[in-house]
Amino acid sequence: MNALAGSCPACAEPVGLGDRFCEACGTPLLRKGSTSAEAATKDVVRKCPACGAVSGTATEYCDECGLRLPDPADRTTIDLGALAGVSDRGLVHHRNEDAIALGRLLDGTTAAVVCDGVSTTRQPERAARAASEAALAVLLGVDAPVEPVARVRAAVEAAGTAVATLDGSNPSPDGPSCTLVAAYVAGGEVTVGWVGDSRAYWLAGPDGRLLTRDHSWAAEVVAEGLMDEAAAFADRRAHTITRWLGPDTRPDPDVVSVPHDGAGTLLVCSDGLWNEVPEAGRIGEFAAGAGDGATPLAVANRLTEVALAAGGRDNISVVVIPLEGVQV
C-alpha cells in the first residue's frame, strides 16, 4: 500500500495515496463523471415533444414531423461535491459538440477536462467525447508519469490518439476534431494543459486571471505585436484556431504548472462562456453572484445561465473547482 490517504468510506480500512480501490472491500475510491457516461445512462426513447411520435435511436429528427429530437447530451450535469461541471447546448447550435470529464480521488487528487468539437469537421462531438474520456483516464490513472507536467502531456497525447483513431486506419482529413483544456490538481499544485481556445481561469475576487493563452489567430497576432487586442478580436479571423486535436495533427499542447499559497476557484471552460464574458474579473463577479457558500454545482449553473442570458451563441461547458490553500 502507498502512503496513507485516509480510510475507506465503506469499510473504514486504511487506504493509500493514489489508490483507486479499497484493498479490503473493493469499494471504488475514484469518483468521476463525463458527458459520455451521462448520455449513456439517460432515456434513449426518442419521443418527439411536438407530435409524440417515437423515432429510432439512430435518427436525429422526428420520423413524423421532422422536428429535431432532444439529445441526451444537450445538457450534462456532473456533481462530485468538491467539484462540478455543466455542459449545455446553448440557444443557437442544434447539438452539443462540447464534452466534459472530471474526477477526484479520495486523497484529493483532482482532474477535469473540457473539449470543444470543431464544428467544421464531421461529427465533432465524437472527438470531444473521446478526447475528454482518454485524457481523464491518464490524469487519474495509475500508470501515467508521476511528475504533473509530464502527466498532463501524456493525457493530451492520449486524447490526440483517441481522436486520430476514431475512424480507423484511413481517416478523412475532415474527420472529428476538437480543442482541449485539462486541469490536474495534486500536492497543492495546479497544472493546466491545452490545445486550441478552450480556457482555464483562476478566480480569486478582483485578482482573477486567465491561465491559458489561446491557440488562435487573434492571440497569435497580438503576441507577435502585429495588432493590438481590440483590433485583432474585431477581425473576422479572430477565432480561427491554430492548434487542435484531429485525424491529421499531432498534439502540440502548452502546459503551465504553478505552486500554491492561497485560495480561490479554478475554472476550465469552452468558448461558449468566454465569448460572452471574456474578462476574468467579470467571470469572477458572476461566480460570486451564486452567493456565499455556494456549491461548485451552483457556481457552474450560475455561469452557464449567464452565458445563456448573454445569447448562448455556442455550446457552453464549465467545470468549477474550489481550492483552499492554493494560489496560482
Side-chain angles (χ1 to χ4, degrees):
M1 178 183 295
N2 299 321
L4 291 179
S7 59
C8 172
C11 70
E13 285 294 311
V15 296
L17 285 171
D19 286 354
R20 272 66 179 168
F21 295 92
C22 172
E23 293 180 0
C25 70
T27 295
L29 303 176
L30 167 62
R31 298 186 65 202
K32 64 178 181 178
S34 67
T35 295
S36 298
E38 288 290 303
T41 61
K42 291 182 178 177
D43 185 2
V44 296
V45 173
R46 311 301 301 279
K47 186 175 182 179
C48 178
C51 71
V54 176
S55 301
T57 57
T59 183
E60 189 175 352
Y61 297 92
C62 176
D63 293 338
E64 291 296 323
C65 70
L67 186 75
R68 181 188 176 274
L69 297 169
D71 185 273
D74 282 352
R75 176 98 175 192
T76 297
T77 299
I78 300 170
D79 184 9
L80 301 183
L83 70 161
V86 172
S87 182
D88 190 279
R89 178 169 60 89
L91 302 177
V92 175
H93 285 212
H94 72 283
R95 65 185 174 196
N96 190 357
E97 298 169 351
D98 284 5
I100 59 176
L102 49 152
R104 182 177 172 88
L105 290 165
L106 186 64
D107 66 8
T109 299
T110 300
V113 185
V114 170
C115 294
D116 179 356
V118 177
S119 58
T120 54
T121 64
R122 291 183 297 103
Q123 298 181 306
E125 70 279 6
R126 293 175 60 216
R129 295 178 193 182
S132 56
E133 291 282 349
L136 187 73
V138 172
L139 291 171
L140 296 178
V142 296
D143 298 325
V146 173
E147 197 278 321
V149 170
R151 180 175 287 255
V152 170
R153 289 190 178 280
V156 178
E157 183 72 25
T161 299
V163 172
T165 57
L166 272 174
D167 287 338
S169 58
N170 294 303
S172 168
D174 67 345
S177 303
C178 67
T179 69
L180 175 148
V181 59
Y184 178 70
V185 183
E189 192 169 70
V190 173
T191 303
V192 177
W194 71 99
V195 178
D197 63 353
S198 294
R199 290 182 171 183
Y201 290 88
W202 179 248
L203 307 179
D207 299 324
R209 61 190 173 93
L210 178 63
L211 300 178
T212 52
R213 193 185 78 179
D214 299 342
H215 299 142
S216 70
W217 182 89
E220 297 192 0
V221 297
V222 171
E224 293 172 8
L226 302 176
M227 282 187 176
D228 63 33
E229 188 169 304
F233 277 93
D235 193 283
R236 63 179 175 80
R237 296 165 290 181
H239 294 281
T240 301
I241 56 174
T242 55
R243 301 187 204 178
W244 61 90
L245 303 179
D248 57 351
T249 61
R250 286 191 56 81
D252 183 18
D254 279 326
V255 181
V256 295
S257 190
V258 287
H260 66 89
D261 183 21
T265 297
L266 178 64
L267 169 71
V268 290
C269 65
S270 66
D271 59 356
L273 174 64
W274 70 255
N275 271 336
E276 308 295 354
V277 189
E279 304 87 1
R282 289 286 290 156
I283 294 176
E285 291 173 7
F286 284 123
D292 293 338
T295 64
L297 179 59
V299 176
N301 279 324
R302 165 70 173 162
L303 293 177
T304 303
E305 295 309 315
V306 166
L308 289 170
R313 294 170 293 176
D314 204 343
N315 305 145
I316 306 153
S317 293
V318 301
V319 177
V320 173
I321 311 172
L323 297 172
E324 293 295 332
V326 175
Q327 177 75 56
V328 300

